[in-house]
Amino acid sequence: MSTRSVSFEVLAVPPHHMDEARLGKLSCLGRREIETPSHVALSARGAVPHLSQDTVQNHTAIRGIHMALEDFVERAADKVPPVLQIPVDAHESRLRKFTATHQDSILILGPRHVPSLPCPTANTHSAVSIVTSIGFSALESAYYAEAIHKLKPDIALSMADVVDSKPGVKRKEKMGDRTQTWLKDLIAATEDSGENASGTAVFAPVLPIEAEEQSYYLDALDDDFAGRISGLVLYNTTSVLSIPDGLSYLPRMLTTDSRNPHKLLEAVAAGVDLFAVPFVGAATDAGIALDFSFAVQEPEPSNRILPLGIDMWSVAHHRAYVQHLLSAKEMLGWVLLQIHNHHIVDNFFAEIRQSIRYGSFHKDKESFGQRYEPELPEKTGQGPRIRGYQYKSEGGGELPKNTLAYRSLDDVEKLAEAPVPGPSIDAKDLEQQGFAEREEP
């Protein structure tokens, strides 16, 4: 395997080929093991959205957290970000200390968010384009490698030259050359010995193009980097077919191509081990409580297709409390939803592992596809305030993404002059006076 602190063991190998659903165990020194297939939580500026570090530790089963360096690059190029200035002991992780992440969780650091926003400028030979809190910028390979060395995450995802549109022939050649160079820079930084050793395991990218179009890069992974990387990062499910046989024992992490549970099952069937699942947080922000199970718990009418989630903005009376919290913009509403949605996905992967263990995965996958709708419910509520990393600015004249939280002083004075409403007042009158907004039944 790898000589680093991260190791992976395949527990159940498909009888015919490695590119099928498989069971595994991802271990990291001093952290809780992750049984695979499984998922890691996605973070925003060092925290799982809506959850404090204590809530993650005490009320969820999260064992791995993905963070993005572009969250912490927020100053001019000649300034050192605060995350790189925090004092630590020789073998202490700056990233873990800065974000107050519990010691049990595996920290995974990549260059960009999952999912990442498109940038107006293209990648260069030495840098990838990123979105920071102060606008668009470029993340140099040397800077990223140095930051990994100083931050000491458990796992570092190497930079990949991935484009949003379909690349041309010449562009594909550059993708492999650049990605290989950046991987070499990162490995050199993490292999520093002595007291300054980072102990960080490196996951190498597999580009989302055909194997023949990145054959030189894949050969280099198999021949030159095989003993120096601890895993692989995929950007689409079909990239599993491009993995050289000599690297089939490594864990495979999928960072895109998983917008709903059906896509997750397709990737599990292809042999993916670890997932970054954006729809968990997206469902929470949209006020949707995920509601699906891989195991068949009770018989359902053959003509009924079940939804993958419940829109908590318009639910029945027995869920009225959560609906009230969301309508009142109470933070507790999204906290409860986030805990619930992570619990649903944790159980989903636990049932997948049990199905693979019993040899019924493909049959159960087909049954799941017949029971549930193909997509998650559409968002109907406003949700929490939109953050900068969630959308791309289109330029001048753009309308605000968030509604005003406060009214003008004139509106407040009018409200103070209005009579106190009584029990018999009409809803239209309340709306005209500014006390509330009337909802249609």
Side-chain angles (χ1 to χ4, degrees):
M1 181 62 56
S2 173
T3 59
R4 300 185 182 277
S5 58
V6 171
S7 62
F8 180 72
E9 179 183 2
V10 178
L11 302 178
V13 183
H16 303 296
H17 203 276
M18 286 293 289
D19 299 330
E20 296 182 14
R22 62 184 190 175
L23 295 175
K25 181 173 64 176
L26 182 67
S27 303
C28 182
L29 187 64
R31 318 287 180 236
R32 290 185 294 176
E33 296 175 340
I34 299 179
E35 294 183 359
T36 62
S38 189
H39 75 114
V40 297
L42 298 176
S43 70
R45 299 186 67 79
V48 179
H50 312 297
L51 301 182
S52 67
Q53 283 78 357
D54 288 342
T55 302
V56 170
Q57 180 66 20
N58 299 329
H59 300 288
T60 73
I62 293 173
R63 297 196 173 191
I65 301 177
H66 174 279
M67 297 186 182
L69 187 62
E70 67 179 356
D71 274 343
F72 306 100
V73 180
E74 55 186 29
R75 297 190 175 186
D78 59 338
K79 300 291 185 180
V80 180
V83 69
L84 296 178
Q85 298 183 44
I86 185 170
V88 293
D89 296 333
H91 298 287
E92 193 175 9
S93 168
R94 277 189 174 87
L95 182 63
R96 188 176 299 274
K97 185 174 182 179
F98 186 82
T99 58
T101 303
H102 199 272
Q103 294 293 329
D104 287 350
S105 301
I106 296 178
L107 271 184
I108 303 174
L109 183 61
R112 303 216 58 199
H113 264 293
V114 176
S116 60
L117 289 177
C119 297
T121 56
N123 300 335
T124 67
H125 289 290
S126 61
V128 295
S129 296
I130 60 174
V131 181
T132 72
S133 62
I134 58 173
F136 298 106
S137 185
L139 179 62
E140 294 286 337
S141 174
Y143 184 93
Y144 181 63
E146 182 182 1
I148 293 294
H149 179 73
K150 292 181 177 180
L151 295 175
K152 293 183 172 63
D154 297 312
I155 297 173
L157 308 183
S158 184
M159 288 168 36
D161 187 24
V162 179
V163 296
D164 300 317
S165 58
K166 186 177 180 179
V169 177
K170 293 184 178 180
R171 188 68 176 83
K172 291 177 181 179
E173 295 177 359
K174 293 182 180 179
M175 291 170 66
D177 294 340
R178 292 175 178 178
T179 303
Q180 181 176 341
T181 301
W182 298 341
L183 176 61
K184 189 181 301 182
D185 294 342
L186 181 59
I187 290 178
T190 57
E191 286 183 339
D192 188 10
S193 59
E195 294 185 357
N196 294 324
S198 65
T200 299
V202 175
F203 277 27
V206 177
L207 298 173
I209 55 179
E210 297 295 331
E212 296 77 10
E213 297 168 333
Q214 55 177 324
S215 58
Y216 181 80
Y217 169 64
L218 294 176
D219 289 342
L221 284 183
D222 197 8
D223 298 335
D224 303 332
F225 300 106
R228 305 166 72 185
I229 58 176
S230 301
L232 301 171
V233 187
L234 311 180
Y235 295 91
N236 59 31
T237 303
T238 56
S239 295
V240 173
L241 301 176
S242 302
I243 299 175
D245 292 337
L247 302 178
S248 59
Y249 63 89
L250 292 175
R252 307 152 182 176
M253 179 178 178
L254 182 66
T255 58
T256 57
D257 206 19
S258 53
R259 68 177 183 270
N260 59 51
H262 301 285
K263 289 291 186 181
L264 293 181
L265 292 176
E266 291 177 6
V268 170
V272 176
D273 304 298
L274 200 60
F275 295 84
V277 187
F279 72 75
V280 178
T284 299
D285 288 346
I288 295 172
L290 298 178
D291 186 28
F292 56 85
S293 173
F294 191 59
V296 180
Q297 298 178 346
E298 59 183 21
E300 291 286 348
S302 59
N303 60 347
R304 183 186 177 193
I305 304 299
L306 300 175
L308 291 169
I310 301 171
D311 182 7
M312 300 302 292
W313 292 91
S314 56
V315 293
H317 175 72
H318 63 287
R319 296 186 178 92
Y321 178 58
V322 176
Q323 197 271 347
H324 156 71
L325 293 175
L326 296 176
S327 298
K329 299 292 190 293
E330 289 285 352
M331 292 187 295
L332 178 60
W334 286 289
V335 171
L336 295 176
L337 273 182
Q338 189 78 305
I339 294 174
H340 166 83
N341 288 342
H342 273 91
H343 176 70
I344 291 294
V345 176
D346 287 333
N347 287 345
F348 181 67
F349 277 105
E351 292 164 349
I352 288 175
R353 293 193 295 271
Q354 184 177 14
S355 177
I356 297 174
R357 191 175 294 112
Y358 291 160
S360 59
F361 173 76
H362 291 287
K363 179 181 177 181
D364 295 339
K365 173 178 175 292
E366 182 178 355
S367 175
F368 183 90
Q370 295 173 350
R371 295 200 318 271
Y372 289 98
E373 294 178 350
E375 297 291 344
L376 293 169
E378 292 291 336
K379 174 182 176 181
T380 60
Q382 181 180 342
R385 293 183 64 82
I386 297 177
R387 296 169 288 277
Y389 62 84
Q390 293 179 304
Y391 74 97
K392 177 184 176 182
S393 175
E394 301 297 336
E398 185 178 7
L399 296 176
K401 298 295 183 181
N402 297 306
T403 58
L404 294 176
Y406 304 98
R407 302 176 183 175
S408 65
L409 185 59
D410 293 338
D411 292 338
V412 176
E413 292 176 349
K414 292 179 182 178
L415 187 62
E417 296 172 356
V420 178
S424 60
I425 192 171
D426 188 82
K428 292 183 179 179
D429 296 332
L430 285 175
E431 188 174 28
Q432 290 176 356
Q433 294 175 8
F435 279 104
E437 294 180 0
R438 189 169 74 96
E439 294 186 356
E440 296 295 335

